[in-house]
Amino acid sequence: MFRRSRPPPPPGRMDLSDATFKLHKAVSMSVPGTPPDPARLSERFIELCNVIAKLRSPQGCPWDREQTMKSIKPYTLEETYELLEAIDADDNAGIQEELGDVLLQVVLDAQIAADEDRFTLIEVIEGITQKMIARHPHVFGDAQASTAAEVRAHWERIKNAEKKRESALDGIPLELPALARAARITKKAAAVGYDFPHRAMLFDKLREEIGELKAELDPNSEMPEISASVFMDPVPDEPVTDEAQRDRIEGELGDVLFVIANIARRWGINPEEALRRSNAKFSGRFQFIERGLAARGLSIKEASLQEMEALYQERKREEQAEKKST
């Protein structure tokens, strides 16, 4: 049995019973912020925990018993991305299912931790509850915050005091996708004043970085200026064989992407979400090409670039018409 004693709440933090009382003041599920029915939630959550514990028991599932926190990391990441896809699709049934899968990962990780005598799910829940109370003193305490900016200031001040961080950039997860991490890095730097005075200056910086990238891609200035078009024969790409040049190109391309992430931040856009949308948009249009060609009895490999582009533009026009009609 897990016997680690629970430490008392840190000084100045609200007792959980007080927080629960505040959260239960709402009387109707139609009121925003109304928590789930305690009896039903308790029953269902305990049932889930029992199922996971059973799977991890000697009488449970061989696969589940083998898992470690590291071995299930890929599944945790996969389930998170599937949740994002369901949210993007505005699919309520899908969101509900994927939230369940994410919750499964949390409960399973906590059960593994308990089995390894590290901590239990109870400490996980208590810890995040107390953290949310402590970081919202304007809700659960006497502090004042009437704007989102004031809330962020409270959050960062309390978080920095808790973590005792040495650098303004500390706390950004290394595992974040690179574009999302770039936006977080620039946001942290901007929070202490290291930012262009006017956001429009970033486009001058982008032109500078694109120029440096082009200089590395085309050191002999032989790259022709060609308008984007599908009406010419394909020209094979020449591979970069010089490793030093490849390294410089990678560095300059990274700089371009970093500036783009910074532009997104200054205009309040999440660059990772923006790129995910573009990926989905292109995928949808490309699949429209495949379906259109199949309807004509052609495979994607048999079609000309011009035929594919015509279908791409057709789908693009359809999307624009759909937007106007909504």
Side-chain angles (χ1 to χ4, degrees):
M1 180 182 294
F2 191 91
R3 294 186 176 85
R4 181 176 298 167
S5 61
R6 177 168 63 89
R13 288 193 176 179
M14 181 181 293
D15 184 79
L16 276 175
S17 59
D18 293 336
T20 303
F21 173 77
K22 283 195 173 185
L23 289 172
H24 279 83
K25 286 198 297 185
V27 295
S28 168
M29 286 303 293
S30 64
V31 178
T34 302
D37 176 73
R40 288 189 63 209
L41 176 63
S42 176
E43 180 181 342
R44 299 296 185 270
F45 192 65
I46 290 171
E47 182 180 13
L48 171 61
C49 293
N50 287 340
V51 167
I52 301 305
K54 176 69 173 179
L55 291 173
R56 288 278 301 170
S57 73
Q59 295 77 38
C61 172
W63 185 89
D64 288 279
R65 285 201 305 268
E66 287 180 358
Q67 299 315 303
T68 65
M69 289 186 186
K70 289 185 178 180
S71 72
I72 63 171
K73 276 175 59 180
Y75 302 102
T76 304
L77 188 61
E78 180 181 329
E79 299 299 352
T80 302
Y81 281 121
E82 289 180 359
L83 171 60
L84 296 181
E85 288 179 13
I87 292 172
D88 286 343
D90 200 23
D91 175 7
N92 285 339
I95 294 170
Q96 176 184 312
E97 179 182 354
E98 299 305 337
L99 280 171
D101 289 342
V102 172
L103 179 59
L104 165 65
Q105 297 300 311
V106 173
V107 176
L108 180 55
D109 257 327
Q111 184 63 50
I112 292 171
D115 294 342
E116 296 176 354
D117 201 31
R118 299 185 186 200
F119 52 82
T120 74
L121 183 58
I122 294 171
E123 282 78 51
V124 173
I125 294 171
E126 289 178 338
I128 189 59
T129 303
Q130 295 291 1
K131 179 190 289 186
M132 295 306 292
I133 292 169
R135 292 190 184 177
H136 292 83
H138 54 290
V139 176
F140 300 103
D142 300 326
Q144 299 297 315
S146 56
T147 67
E150 291 174 341
V151 171
R152 283 194 295 270
H154 280 308
W155 182 280
E156 289 300 326
R157 175 180 54 78
I158 296 167
K159 187 174 181 179
N160 289 335
E162 290 173 351
K163 302 293 185 180
K164 296 180 174 60
R165 288 169 174 161
E166 297 180 359
S167 169
L169 300 182
D170 286 347
I172 303 174
L174 294 174
E175 297 296 326
L176 271 181
L179 200 59
R181 192 163 191 270
R184 291 282 297 277
I185 288 171
T186 62
K187 183 178 180 179
K188 290 270 192 179
V192 295
Y194 191 69
D195 205 1
F196 282 108
H198 197 292
R199 61 185 182 178
M201 295 176 179
L202 282 163
F203 286 93
D204 184 54
K205 185 64 176 175
L206 180 60
R207 286 188 288 270
E208 174 191 327
E209 297 296 354
I210 289 175
E212 292 176 2
L213 172 62
K214 188 175 180 181
E216 290 297 344
L217 293 169
D218 183 31
N220 299 319
S221 300
E222 297 174 348
M223 188 183 297
E225 293 288 342
I226 305 177
S227 299
S229 170
V230 297
F231 297 101
M232 65 175 289
D233 293 332
V235 178
D237 296 334
E238 295 183 9
V240 178
T241 56
D242 184 281
E243 288 301 321
Q245 182 189 10
R246 178 185 292 276
D247 183 70
R248 293 193 301 272
I249 290 171
E250 185 176 287
E252 297 299 341
L253 181 59
D255 290 345
V256 170
L257 294 173
F258 191 85
V259 175
I260 289 174
N262 210 358
I263 289 172
R265 176 188 62 82
R266 290 298 291 266
W267 265 266
I269 303 299
N270 183 321
E272 194 70 27
E273 288 298 309
L275 184 55
R276 288 180 67 247
R277 286 183 60 181
S278 291
N279 288 342
K281 179 169 59 180
F282 180 84
S283 297
R285 291 176 182 175
F286 188 81
Q287 289 162 354
F288 179 85
I289 293 172
E290 292 176 315
R291 291 192 299 272
L293 291 172
R296 302 175 189 177
L298 295 173
S299 73
I300 195 78
K301 293 181 179 179
E302 296 170 326
S304 69
L305 176 58
Q306 291 75 24
E307 288 173 312
M308 290 189 281
E309 177 65 8
L311 285 166
Y312 186 93
Q313 294 300 328
E314 180 184 337
R315 179 55 188 154
K316 189 175 178 179
R317 289 190 295 272
E318 287 182 2
E319 291 170 354
Q320 292 169 345
E322 289 167 2
K323 283 184 179 179
K324 289 180 180 178
S325 64
T326 56

